[in-house]
Amino acid sequence: MRILVLEDDVDLSRQLVAAMTEAGYAADAAFDGEEGAWLGETEPYDAIILDLGLPKLDGLSVLERWRKANVKTPVLILTARDRWSEKVAGINAGADDYVAKPFQMEEVIARIRALLRRSAGVAKAELDCGELRLDTRTARVTYKGTAVKLTGLEFRLLSYLMHHQARVVSRTELVDHLYQQDFERDSNTIEVFIGRLRRKIPADIIHTVRGLGYCLSAAADPEGGAKKGS
């Protein structure tokens, strides 16, 4: 999952990016409204953390611009504690949730997780595929109750597939949602990580759909044509 942090306070931005990375997400940072508006329109983020008090273009204007451009990415706005009017304006402009400053980082992470689940149509915090479990609250993966040790990128890949179960996900989509903006991307590496995942979890739940991508499903032949293989 890929997150955009749009906050002009450098120290707070650094803390948010570090927290998102620690939680298992790929995080990009932008520090003014113009840059953030452009990134939100051109990059496929899964969620955005948006401060309303931004230079060049204020956060509310950025949000309104995204929604007019039909950008549907879930947005969590950051507001001042005593500005209830900002909360109302943000929600009316298309925000999905808000958190008041000062805040606990754990609350921001929890709200981002909830936004990601809802946008994927998932109601509960624990995702499952057969006997494979991924707890979004703890970033813990288990199979038949036994912990599965994954690297950061392996976890991101599995998490994205589990949030989009039974849907064919292309390599390009995976690359777009797994790496930060400035990371050198290579879709061929996705095959490598898929192969590594198949050695750690039941290999037959990650199906290759020839010419299209991958599908995570406990079904033997999802989409009527998926096959196991790299």
Side-chain angles (χ1 to χ4, degrees):
M1 296 295 191
R2 194 169 165 210
I3 311 294
L4 173 62
V5 176
L6 184 44
E7 164 64 59
D8 66 318
D9 184 307
V10 176
D11 289 336
L12 180 55
S13 173
R14 187 181 299 114
Q15 293 171 29
L16 286 164
V17 168
M20 292 300 109
T21 302
E22 180 68 21
Y25 306 119
D28 293 332
F31 301 95
D32 65 69
E34 290 182 357
E35 179 188 15
W38 179 78
L39 285 174
E41 290 173 349
T42 59
E43 294 289 329
Y45 292 106
D46 296 290
I48 297 173
I49 298 173
L50 173 66
D51 181 34
L52 294 184
L54 295 169
K56 296 187 179 180
L57 189 65
D58 68 89
L60 194 61
S61 297
V62 171
L63 181 56
E64 290 173 340
R65 174 171 155 178
W66 284 336
R67 295 315 188 216
K68 287 180 181 177
N70 202 32
V71 174
K72 299 178 180 179
T73 309
V75 173
L76 172 68
I77 58 173
L78 306 180
T79 72
R81 181 180 295 278
D82 58 348
R83 295 292 298 276
W84 63 267
S85 57
E86 284 190 347
K87 302 172 187 177
V88 173
I91 296 297
N92 286 339
D96 299 271
D97 199 359
Y98 67 85
V99 64
K101 296 179 180 180
F103 51 76
Q104 294 296 320
M105 200 60 72
E106 290 79 3
E107 180 182 2
V108 175
I109 295 171
R111 290 181 181 277
I112 286 294
R113 285 175 179 150
L115 289 182
L116 292 171
R117 291 197 305 269
R118 289 201 294 269
S119 66
V122 178
K124 56 185 181 179
E126 187 175 80
L127 310 180
D128 59 81
C129 184
E131 295 188 87
L132 182 68
R133 304 281 188 275
L134 187 153
D135 192 327
T136 62
R137 298 161 298 189
T138 61
R140 186 169 185 264
V141 177
T142 60
Y143 178 61
K144 292 185 176 180
T146 301
V148 179
K149 294 183 179 180
L150 301 175
T151 66
L153 277 172
E154 289 168 356
F155 176 81
R156 289 183 203 169
L157 175 55
L158 180 61
S159 177
Y160 193 83
L161 290 174
M162 291 196 76
H163 275 84
H164 299 86
Q165 283 186 57
R167 178 170 77 79
V168 178
V169 181
S170 70
R171 292 181 189 174
T172 300
E173 181 178 346
L174 288 171
V175 169
D176 285 343
H177 289 265
L178 294 183
Y179 298 106
Q180 293 94 333
Q181 181 193 15
D182 57 356
F183 194 91
E184 184 176 349
R185 306 174 189 182
D186 181 0
S187 63
N188 292 324
T189 61
I190 295 298
E191 287 187 13
V192 175
F193 286 111
I194 290 289
R196 283 163 51 171
L197 273 179
R198 283 178 170 145
R199 291 192 288 273
K200 296 183 178 183
I201 65 174
D204 59 356
I205 70 171
I206 301 180
H207 306 263
T208 299
V209 183
R210 301 296 181 187
L212 296 177
Y214 301 97
C215 178
L216 185 80
S217 174
D221 189 19
E223 300 296 317
K227 299 180 181 179
K228 190 182 86 171
S230 61

